[in-house]
Structures are given as structure tokens and as C-alpha cells.
Amino acid sequence: MFFGGKAFITTIMTAVMMSAVATAQVSPQSTAAIAPPNRTDPVYSEYYTIDENNFDAEARKNMGWGFSDIPEQLSADNFVRAAKMLVVNLLKWTLHNETRPTPTDSYIRKLHFGRWINDPTDDTCMNTRAKVLVRDSEDAVTFRNGKQCVVDMGKWQDPYSGQTLANSREIQIDHMIPLKHAYMAGAWQWDYKTRCLYANYLGYRNHLIPATVKENTSKGARAPNEYLPSNESYRCQYVKDWLAIKLIWRLNMTQDEVEAVHSVVTNLNCKVSDFKVSQADLNNQRQYINDNIEYCMLNKR
């Protein structure tokens, strides 16, 4: 994505000045989940989002100038440098003191998110699952039935369990943030083509993860307050990716969820400096979504 000119200055200054609500401090006493009658999903009287307008102060300091004194004449290279140095802290959350928006329709996976897609424009017969298996195999993969469509054997590391797998039949492709969870966290407000793109998204590597059937089944649609990988050494990366995907797709979080993330970061001494996403990378992810928004429509049949 190109960064330059007055539009970029306006974007940065607007983002810095915009803050509808204060950055939240997670407090065990502030949760308020109400389980209404005849519903299996709780309704929360408040929710959180990652504050993407609160740029990391240290990044601003490293620039050598503040946003109130941006030079009138700034080269395109300096614009790019500035964008790369701006970072969003994934551990800064905004509390919304209002009822968390909830869907009116019950979640139905195929109806709302579709299926694995086979891109007709890429000259292969592989769907999204096969592409993830090829991408993540440490060895060259083999295919079934003499056609390069369905992956058979390879070498995969399941980061959730720490196990190494060779047979693709033992692997399920997991959505880091499960489809049902994403639906409840805001995806219900999207149109079908956006949800289908989310289900098949290859723009962020850890959006889709090869996992054992057992581990993926244990995870289900659970958030970090209900499930954490059995491989403890992966948990810091797990919650970091969880937050990054929430940021990219503007999905909300519950009180229990943010407390669980905070607990992992604190108890496992996760490297806090890793929990940052550059504004440039975030913009690139959003641009990738925009550029591929018709992906599922091209494949609709």
C-alpha cells in the first residue's frame, strides 16, 4: 500500500485524535455476563475492542517528532518510514460500557461461512485446506490418486500439541479464531462474501493452523478463557495471534476473554514487545481483504 501526501498525514492525525472511549484497565470486578432465558449464548452488558487508534508512545518517540509538529515537507520515503514505526499495542483494550451486539440468527457454519474454496484462477485443483498443508509441510508433500489436488503425506508440526504428523488424514485445519466465535464477536454483521473470505483467509499465516484432530476438537469454538494449547511453550504466540486477528478483522472480546489473555501474558512472562503490530502491516492486511473481497464469489457454483 502506498503511503504519502496529505491524505496520509490526515489519516495519522485523525487516528491519533480519535478515541471514543478511554483505554480500559482489565478488572475482575467489571465483568457482567447475563444469561437470558431460552438462550445458550450469554449476553454481555459490556465488551472490549483492541484500541487501534492508540499508537505506541515509544514508536512516536523514536520518530524524532510528534504529530503536532509534522514537517510540512516530508518525502515519500519518510512517510513509509513513519508508517512502519507506528505500532498498535495489542494489549491496549477499549472498554465499551454497552450491551455487546449479538446476532439475531443462530450460527450455521455452511450458511454463514461457506466451505473450503478452490480458486479457479490459480491453475491448481487445490482448495484452501490443501494449500495450507502444502504451505506448512516441512517436507515435500505427496498427493492422492495421482492428481495434485488432495494432499496425502508430508511433515507437519501441530503447534497446539507439539506433535509431528506425517499423514494428512490426522490433520484438521483450524481457524485460530473459530468461525462460530468470530460470528458471535462481530462477523454476524458482515456480508457472506466477507465471512467466506475469513474462512479461507491466507493473508495472515497463523490465521489457519494444521492441528491434530484431538486438539482441534478440544478447542472447538472456545476462546482463551476456555481453551489453551496443551503445548505450553506455544501459548504466548497463541494469544498474540488471537489478538492480531481480532485487530485485523475488528472483532470484539468479552471480559473473560481479555482476563484470560492477560493471565497468559503475565503468568508465562510473555515478551510484551512481541504484542505489537505495525500500522503498515495492519494496513496491508486490510488492503489484502479489500483486494480479495470477491474471492468466494468467483468460486461460487
Side-chain angles (χ1 to χ4, degrees):
M1 174 179 285
F2 174 74
F3 297 90
K6 295 181 180 179
F8 179 65
I9 296 178
T10 302
T11 299
I12 291 181
M13 296 185 70
T14 301
V16 172
M17 292 186 289
M18 287 176 56
S19 183
V21 286
T23 299
Q25 298 296 323
V26 179
S27 169
Q29 287 75 37
S30 64
T31 185
I34 305 170
N38 303 319
R39 287 201 54 164
T40 57
D41 297 311
V43 174
Y44 294 88
S45 62
E46 61 190 31
Y47 64 95
Y48 290 81
T49 54
I50 297 172
D51 185 4
E52 65 179 88
N53 295 320
N54 193 341
F55 298 116
D56 184 77
E58 186 62 27
R60 281 186 248 169
K61 178 181 177 182
N62 289 338
M63 282 186 196
W65 38 261
F67 292 104
S68 61
D69 56 2
I70 295 176
E72 291 185 5
Q73 300 297 325
L74 202 58
S75 69
D77 287 342
N78 284 336
F79 276 119
V80 173
R81 179 179 66 87
K84 288 181 177 178
M85 294 182 71
L86 284 172
V87 294
V88 178
N89 189 333
L90 295 173
L91 298 175
K92 289 184 179 179
W93 306 316
T94 297
L95 171 63
H96 301 263
N97 285 303
E98 59 191 42
T99 302
R100 185 193 192 204
T102 55
T104 55
D105 296 330
S106 298
Y107 167 75
I108 302 174
R109 175 171 176 152
K110 187 173 182 180
L111 174 66
H112 292 123
F113 287 90
R115 56 182 171 77
W116 293 130
I117 293 297
N118 180 357
D119 184 354
T121 67
D122 67 0
D123 297 324
T124 78
C125 55
M126 290 187 289
N127 63 14
T128 305
R129 169 184 163 83
K131 289 177 181 177
V132 172
L133 291 172
V134 171
R135 181 195 70 186
D136 290 351
S137 178
E138 296 178 5
D139 293 340
V141 302
T142 61
F143 294 87
R144 294 180 201 163
N145 304 322
K147 297 180 180 179
Q148 293 190 335
C149 301
V150 179
V151 175
D152 188 25
M153 305 294 288
K155 183 180 179 181
W156 297 276
Q157 299 291 335
D158 168 18
Y160 297 165
S161 65
Q163 295 182 42
T164 301
L165 303 168
N167 191 328
S168 68
R169 290 181 176 88
E170 300 174 334
I171 294 175
Q172 291 181 350
I173 303 302
D174 176 61
H175 295 84
M176 170 65 68
I177 295 182
L179 300 183
K180 182 178 180 180
H181 180 96
Y183 184 76
M184 299 302 298
W188 64 273
Q189 297 171 301
W190 306 344
D191 56 20
Y192 171 78
K193 62 185 179 182
T194 303
R195 287 194 297 263
C196 184
L197 176 61
Y198 178 91
N200 289 271
Y201 193 64
L202 295 170
Y204 185 80
R205 185 180 183 90
N206 291 337
H207 186 95
L208 296 172
I209 301 287
T212 63
V213 174
K214 179 181 178 181
E215 199 75 20
N216 193 37
T217 302
S218 296
K219 180 185 176 188
R222 296 174 178 88
N225 55 296
E226 301 170 305
Y227 165 87
L228 287 171
S230 57
N231 178 14
E232 188 172 301
S233 65
Y234 181 68
R235 289 181 180 178
C236 290
Q237 181 66 44
Y238 179 79
V239 294
K240 188 265 184 180
D241 287 325
W242 183 276
L243 293 174
I245 295 167
K246 287 263 171 160
L247 170 65
I248 292 166
W249 294 87
R250 296 187 174 100
L251 296 171
N252 62 53
M253 302 180 290
T254 68
Q255 175 74 25
D256 291 340
E257 186 180 342
V258 298
E259 285 184 355
V261 171
H262 181 267
S263 178
V264 169
V265 173
T266 302
N267 295 336
L268 295 182
N269 295 315
C270 299
K271 191 176 179 181
V272 176
S273 60
D274 289 341
F275 285 74
K276 294 177 181 178
V277 174
S278 76
Q279 186 66 26
D281 286 343
L282 177 57
N283 288 341
N284 287 337
Q285 286 293 322
R286 300 261 175 85
Q287 187 64 50
Y288 185 99
I289 294 170
N290 289 336
D291 291 345
N292 291 277
I293 200 63
E294 300 295 333
Y295 180 72
C296 290
M297 300 300 100
L298 294 174
N299 289 273
K300 200 169 183 179
R301 56 178 181 266

